[in-house]
Amino acid sequence: MGKYFGTDGFRGEANIDLTVDHAFRIGRYLGWYYSRNGEHKAKVVIGKDTRRSSYMFESALCAGLTASGADAYLLHVTSTPSVSYIARADDFDCGIMISASHNPYYDNGIKLINGEGEKMEESLLDGIESYLDSDEQLPYAQRDRIGCTVDYAAGRNRYIGYLISLATRSYKGRKIGLDCANGSTWQMAKSVFDALGADTYVLANKPDGLNINVDCGSTHIHNLQKFVLDNGLDVGFAFDGDADRCLAVDEKGNEVNGDHIMYVCAKYMKDKGTLGDSKVVTTVMSNMGLYKALDTLGIGYEKTAVGDKYVAENMRRNGHIIGGEQSGHIIFGRLANTGDGLLTAIKVMEAITETKEPLSVLASGMTMYPQVLKNVVVTDKDETLNDETVKAAVRRAEEELGENGRVLLRKSGTEPLLRVMSEATTHELCEEKVDSIIKAMAEAGKLIKVK
């Protein structure tokens, strides 16, 4: 991670951590970089979520890009995976998504996607960061080399058509709930599921620029759980602000998280004979229950650092076709190069419709271990991780849990804090181990507060 770009883009509070000047200069650099000194007419596709500040950042990015000679194609309000798909399918030099994902409305972010629809290469991000901290003046395009802005809503519609084409059966007679988080899917999700014949029931689809993720979406699954039960729905899907993640709710109102979804889809693919030798790629935050369930099925798995970026890299490198995170970033390698909430919902529906089993039955083969995660603000993340008192507390907790649990202490990739996590046979044991590590941070003089 660099000074500005973390595992999921440049993110922070709008006009405090991330300003319109940053956006303008990022556009200037990308336009200059891809124009190759005027030898190439660069094309960049841009999408945004529903935050009020997204419109401001879109304008600043367009100004920077066109001033450097690139053409900016606007998808308008759309999802991160749609930008990834269009960047790859329509031969763009790169894509930009303006979103802070599941963060509150006052935050925003700039996610960069390369021409293959993948998270941007570190080398280019390093170049942007150096430029942001410099007084370097890039050349302005002149006369007919000045770029233009193009309305490209047709690209978003093409992505919706692509999703619809992936469904294997009609959803006629299926009652499906959709929590759109007042974000990117507020129109798209219903369009997709209506086209596939479902009886759609939608909530959190009235964005006002300030209500994205407010008590709704994948970070507030309880609303969808109640919604499914109150309306007698067959299944519900909750998306985050930019729709690159999806969680589900079964017909009984139970949460079906990303680990459950990977289990359901991997088992379905194995039973169907389409999984082959592929392993399930997870992060170190996936639950032990997933690994035990996959062991029972004879399905292999690999673990990466936290971040769908690392999951995607592992999948590409090793040819695996499914991976993701417990938070709902699920990647289907032959269909997309990034996590895609709408695609995930379609793949879960494929398992439901083809097996003719409800989601509660499909997910029943995996039992979650109790898990406790606490976010801790410390004086210095690296110093805390390397402190001997803290390291000793982690070792002691690991030894006491043995094979019946684990602890994990890691830096957040998107926020200035450490995450302390424990899994064990009981919730009380998880709390005990997490609190013992936090206590060691306090004893070492590193603790500021527990969020």
Side-chain angles (χ1 to χ4, degrees), residues 173-435:
R174 301 280 182 175
K175 298 170 68 176
I176 299 175
L178 303 168
D179 183 340
C180 299
N182 291 315
S184 291
T185 61
W186 77 278
Q187 289 180 309
M188 296 170 66
K190 181 171 175 56
S191 297
V192 169
F193 284 88
D194 281 350
L196 292 170
D199 296 327
T200 55
Y201 295 71
V202 187
L203 70 160
N205 65 331
K206 294 179 173 60
D208 61 11
L210 306 178
N211 62 358
I212 188 171
N213 300 316
V214 176
D215 203 29
C216 58
S218 61
T219 52
H220 300 277
I221 197 72
H222 58 277
N223 272 343
L224 182 60
Q225 291 175 293
K226 182 177 184 301
F227 191 72
V228 167
L229 291 175
D230 288 349
N231 292 281
L233 306 184
D234 296 308
V235 64
F237 298 105
F239 310 103
D240 64 338
D242 67 331
D244 61 357
R245 67 170 77 177
C246 170
L247 297 183
V249 172
D250 69 23
E251 77 286 357
K252 297 180 179 179
N254 299 311
E255 177 183 350
V256 179
N257 66 27
D259 285 346
H260 284 114
I261 290 171
M262 284 189 283
Y263 167 78
V264 167
C265 292
K267 182 179 185 301
Y268 168 71
M269 288 189 285
K270 179 178 173 64
D271 292 344
K272 191 179 177 184
T274 58
L275 186 64
D277 295 328
S278 181
K279 296 179 180 179
V280 177
V281 182
T282 73
T283 76
V284 293
M285 290 296 287
S286 277
N287 193 273
M288 288 179 63
L290 172 62
Y291 302 125
K292 291 184 179 296
L294 292 176
D295 285 338
T296 299
L297 295 174
I299 297 175
Y301 47 83
E302 296 190 8
K303 302 178 184 180
T304 75
V306 175
D308 63 325
K309 171 181 180 177
Y310 302 114
V311 172
E313 287 175 353
N314 181 294
M315 292 174 65
R316 285 194 298 272
R317 184 170 61 249
N318 298 300
H320 299 314
I321 61 175
I322 182 171
E325 298 184 286
Q326 188 181 114
S327 61
H329 284 116
I330 312 297
I331 303 173
F332 294 91
R334 291 175 180 167
L335 304 174
N337 288 334
T338 188
D340 188 330
L342 287 169
L343 173 58
T344 298
I346 287 171
K347 296 303 287 184
V348 171
M349 284 304 302
E350 179 180 336
I352 292 171
T353 56
E354 294 288 351
T355 63
K356 298 181 174 59
E357 296 281 5
L359 185 54
S360 63
V361 171
L362 295 178
S364 63
M366 178 190 150
T367 302
M368 291 282 287
Y369 270 53
Q371 187 180 82
V372 168
L373 173 67
K374 294 185 179 181
N375 296 320
V376 185
V377 181
V378 294
T379 54
D380 184 280
K381 291 191 288 186
D382 291 316
E383 284 184 7
T384 305
L385 288 174
N386 293 312
D387 184 88
E388 289 303 324
T389 301
V390 176
K391 289 164 69 174
V394 172
R395 287 195 299 271
R396 187 162 54 250
E398 289 174 335
E399 291 168 0
E400 291 169 352
L401 289 173
E403 295 183 356
N404 294 314
R406 63 174 180 140
V407 295
L408 181 66
L409 176 61
R410 69 174 187 88
K411 293 188 288 187
S412 168
T414 57
E415 299 177 75
L417 48 80
L418 295 178
R419 304 194 195 278
V420 189
M421 187 272 283
S422 177
E423 286 176 354
T425 52
T426 67
H427 183 84
E428 292 73 21
L429 197 53
C430 292
E431 286 275 0
E432 176 188 319
K433 300 311 174 190
V434 167
D435 289 344

Side-chain angles (χ1 to χ4, degrees), residues 24-196:
F24 175 72
R25 288 174 65 80
I26 290 170
R28 287 277 283 130
Y29 189 91
L30 289 173
W32 166 81
Y33 179 87
Y34 285 111
S35 292
R36 305 182 195 122
N37 293 321
E39 296 176 2
H40 169 70
K41 189 62 173 177
K43 292 170 48 184
V44 178
V45 63
I46 303 176
K48 64 177 183 284
D49 69 16
T50 57
R51 294 163 213 269
R52 179 176 292 180
S53 62
S54 292
Y55 294 79
M56 172 181 75
F57 287 123
E58 179 185 61
S59 296
L61 283 161
C62 286
L65 286 163
T66 54
S68 288
D71 290 343
Y73 287 69
L74 305 185
L75 294 174
H76 306 289
V77 172
T78 192
S79 65
T80 292
S82 74
V83 176
S84 170
Y85 172 79
I86 291 299
R88 173 170 51 92
D90 290 359
D91 197 28
F92 281 93
D93 290 289
C94 74
I96 303 174
M97 180 65 186
I98 305 163
S99 175
S101 188
H102 59 280
N103 285 27
Y105 81 90
Y106 48 78
D107 286 348
N108 216 323
I110 295 175
K111 302 183 182 185
L112 301 183
I113 297 166
N114 68 21
E116 297 300 318
E118 304 160 352
K119 296 288 179 70
M120 187 61 76
E121 297 84 1
E122 293 292 336
S123 58
L124 180 52
L125 297 181
D126 290 342
I128 294 172
E129 294 212 346
S130 296
Y131 172 65
L132 291 177
D133 283 337
S134 75
D135 295 324
E136 181 182 359
Q137 296 298 314
L138 296 175
Y140 283 102
Q142 298 177 9
R143 298 192 177 188
D144 61 339
R145 289 191 173 180
I146 294 173
C148 63
T149 302
V150 181
D151 185 318
Y152 207 57
R156 181 183 58 200
N157 295 334
R158 186 154 53 257
Y159 164 74
I160 290 173
Y162 170 69
L163 290 177
I164 293 169
S165 75
L166 297 177
T168 57
R169 288 176 180 261
S170 167
Y171 302 159
K172 186 176 181 180
R174 301 280 182 175
K175 298 170 68 176
I176 299 175
L178 303 168
D179 183 340
C180 299
N182 291 315
S184 291
T185 61
W186 77 278
Q187 289 180 309
M188 296 170 66
K190 181 171 175 56
S191 297
V192 169
F193 284 88
D194 281 350
L196 292 170

